[in-house]
Amino acid sequence: MCGSRFYFDWSNFATMLRLLRDDPATPRKRYLTFMVALPMIAALHALCFALDPVLFPSLRRVQVRAPTFSVGHARSGTTYLHRLMAADPQFSYPLMYELFFPSLLQKRLLRLILRIDARFGKPLRRRLDAVEEQMFAETDDMHKTGFFVPEEDDFFLTWSLNSGFWIVMFPYMGELDFYHVDRWTARKRRRVMAFYRECVRRQLALNGGGGHLTHLSKNPTFCGRVEALIETFPDARFIVPMRNPYETIPSLLKMLQTEWRLRGRDERLIAQSLRVLADQSIHSYTHPLDVLAGHPEVRSCVVDYRELVAAPTATMRRVYEELGLNLGPEAATEFEAAGRRGGHETAHRYSLGEFGLDPAEIRTRLASFFDEFGWDAEEKGRSHVN
């Protein structure tokens, strides 16, 4: 059945308005702009969304079959893994600019504009490239992104006010929750996930239809909705990258701290949100595997980050084998090339102490993971080298 109803979270909208109103640092103009502009923008998207099945009847035949989700703590290799797999033509995925325009009508109009732009020497594309470089300059070394690269499809839910995108804009963690979807009421969870499924269907239709394409997704925020994903897509496949939390947790906190400070957010709010985020990080490690353990019928694969960056070719071949994916010549060539290039590895190391985090507490809460992946030995080796 083809859904045409756009989902807008009025409850989150009311909460965001209240938080903006009660924050003395919020200019009145920003509050009024948010109050008026957000419903108007959502209404435009809702109209386009409703028109999709009317203007594109073939959308009714597009189905989401066996989507593949990469879920793991941020900074654990989800982006690297996702972009390796994006070279495989069996997969469909959204580019960043497409995520903020959820309807098929909007996506096709944007692609038409870009094709016309290309015929006239790409003046629009060059302008967008300049804007992109300026916009992402401060955080590009932590998470390289851009308008025309594969990105987290949680952003499909931006104008529904259900995307983790809003936490970057609103450092009110604890007051706003876009992560613990598996804890939401059944009614809300199903409505949000049904809308997400419709967004995925439209992306599949844009990229050539759902008959031969598989949706490919990577979202660290989806660690909190693995049960909801299985409920929505019973034939889904999951990849769970694992990396030493002494590296991932402070790296994530540093990235969000940088984003919030660039937007001039209050340091007290930033500190509160970082504490919530640190606790959520533990859940990002434990919850996906706990849920998958309860669903042995679901195909899944755990990837050690160290193996991924040291031997991407062998690691990706194992991933495909365990997930039952067909490894075609294009993907095999890309994985071989990644092996020759060497795995991606960030040069940055961030300190737990900078954020008041106790390594011993993290070790205790994730003891089984430290034992399974040998992170204690890794830390001893790092201390010895230093």
Side-chain angles (χ1 to χ4, degrees):
M1 180 177 179
C2 181
S4 59
R5 181 174 296 180
F6 185 89
Y7 178 73
F8 187 78
D9 195 322
W10 289 101
S11 175
N12 275 354
F13 180 61
T15 300
M16 292 164 127
L17 278 179
R18 174 179 58 80
L19 292 168
L20 284 173
R21 181 198 64 203
D22 295 344
D23 186 345
T26 301
R28 180 168 176 79
K29 184 177 180 180
R30 182 187 299 170
Y31 171 78
L32 293 174
T33 299
F34 185 86
M35 181 173 63
V36 175
L38 257 292
M40 291 179 63
I41 293 172
L44 173 62
H45 290 303
L47 174 61
C48 294
F49 214 76
L51 288 172
D52 283 344
V54 178
L55 297 175
F56 310 107
S58 61
L59 177 61
R60 301 174 187 275
R61 298 191 294 273
V62 176
Q63 300 296 322
V64 185
R65 295 188 175 92
T68 299
F69 296 96
S70 176
V71 295
H73 192 284
R75 325 301 293 154
S76 64
T78 55
T79 298
Y80 179 54
L81 191 150
H82 183 245
R83 292 180 183 172
L84 279 176
M85 296 180 71
D88 187 338
Q90 72 178 294
F91 289 116
S92 164
Y93 52 85
L95 304 180
M96 176 187 267
Y97 81 91
E98 295 170 333
L99 289 164
F100 298 99
F101 300 91
S103 86
L104 182 56
L105 171 60
Q106 293 168 316
K107 295 175 192 294
R108 288 196 168 175
L109 285 174
L110 287 169
R111 287 201 176 180
L112 175 61
I113 290 170
L114 289 171
R115 286 198 299 271
I116 294 172
D117 178 61
R119 292 183 179 181
F120 289 92
K122 298 185 178 181
L124 175 60
R125 178 62 187 266
R126 287 197 298 272
R127 176 59 181 160
L128 289 173
D129 288 343
V131 172
E132 171 189 293
E133 184 175 354
Q134 182 178 11
M135 182 179 293
F136 302 118
E138 294 289 341
T139 57
D140 205 42
D141 60 337
M142 290 183 275
H143 176 66
K144 189 171 183 60
T145 190
F147 297 138
F148 299 92
V149 299
E151 226 356 301
E152 299 174 15
D153 66 2
D154 169 68
F155 293 163
F156 276 141
L157 306 174
T158 298
W159 302 115
S160 298
L161 302 186
N162 273 128
S163 168
F165 164 83
W166 290 107
I167 281 297
V168 177
M169 310 301 291
F170 292 80
Y172 300 106
M173 295 195 70
E175 299 263 11
L176 288 169
D177 177 23
F178 304 105
Y179 171 82
H180 294 100
V181 175
D182 286 346
R183 298 179 185 176
W184 292 359
T185 64
R187 181 174 182 271
K188 179 176 180 178
R189 183 178 69 248
R190 287 168 184 162
R191 289 183 67 187
V192 170
M193 294 306 296
F195 174 65
Y196 169 73
R197 181 178 59 232
E198 290 304 318
C199 291
V200 170
R201 288 201 321 109
R202 284 158 169 78
Q203 190 69 42
L204 282 166
L206 177 75
N207 290 340
H212 64 285
L213 292 176
T214 299
H215 181 63
L216 178 65
S217 165
K218 76 99 184 177
N219 290 279
T221 56
F222 278 14
C223 289
R225 66 181 73 180
V226 176
E227 189 72 59
L229 288 168
I230 295 173
E231 182 180 64
T232 309
F233 309 104
D235 57 353
R237 302 180 178 99
F238 291 87
I239 310 169
V240 187
M242 283 286 166
R243 186 181 182 185
N244 190 328
Y246 292 169
E247 297 176 351
T248 61
I249 295 177
S251 179
L252 173 62
L253 298 187
K254 188 68 176 182
M255 184 170 67
L256 268 296
Q257 182 189 65
T258 301
E259 292 279 6
W260 290 329
R261 284 178 172 171
L262 286 171
R263 289 168 172 78
R265 298 304 183 187
D266 180 74
E267 287 292 332
R268 175 184 56 83
L269 281 175
I270 291 175
Q272 290 175 353
S273 286
L274 290 176
R275 285 194 293 271
V276 175
L277 187 58
D279 191 64
Q280 182 177 294
S281 289
I282 302 298
H283 188 270
S284 293
Y285 276 90
T286 60
H287 188 66
L289 295 187
D290 286 347
V291 172
L292 290 169
H295 290 277
E297 77 283 2
V298 174
R299 282 187 175 269
S300 63
C301 176
V302 176
V303 174
D304 188 320
Y305 174 81
R306 295 164 298 188
E307 295 176 0
L308 178 62
V309 298
T313 306
T315 301
M316 293 308 301
R317 286 183 175 275
R318 177 178 67 82
V319 167
Y320 271 57
E321 181 179 353
E322 292 189 17
L323 295 185
L325 292 168
N326 176 53
L327 180 61
E330 296 92 341
T333 298
E334 174 61 24
F335 300 158
E336 292 290 343
R340 291 192 295 272
R341 291 192 302 266
H344 166 77
E345 173 79 78
T346 177
H348 291 280
R349 292 285 183 270
Y350 301 102
S351 167
L352 290 165
E354 179 181 351
F355 302 99
L357 300 177
D358 181 5
E361 180 183 354
I362 294 173
R363 171 65 176 83
T364 299
R365 297 179 69 180
L366 296 176
S368 62
F369 293 92
F370 273 83
D371 294 340
E372 180 178 355
F373 293 98
W375 289 329
D376 286 323
E378 183 179 46
E379 288 303 309
K380 288 180 181 177
R382 186 171 294 139
S383 299
H384 177 73
V385 170
N386 291 342

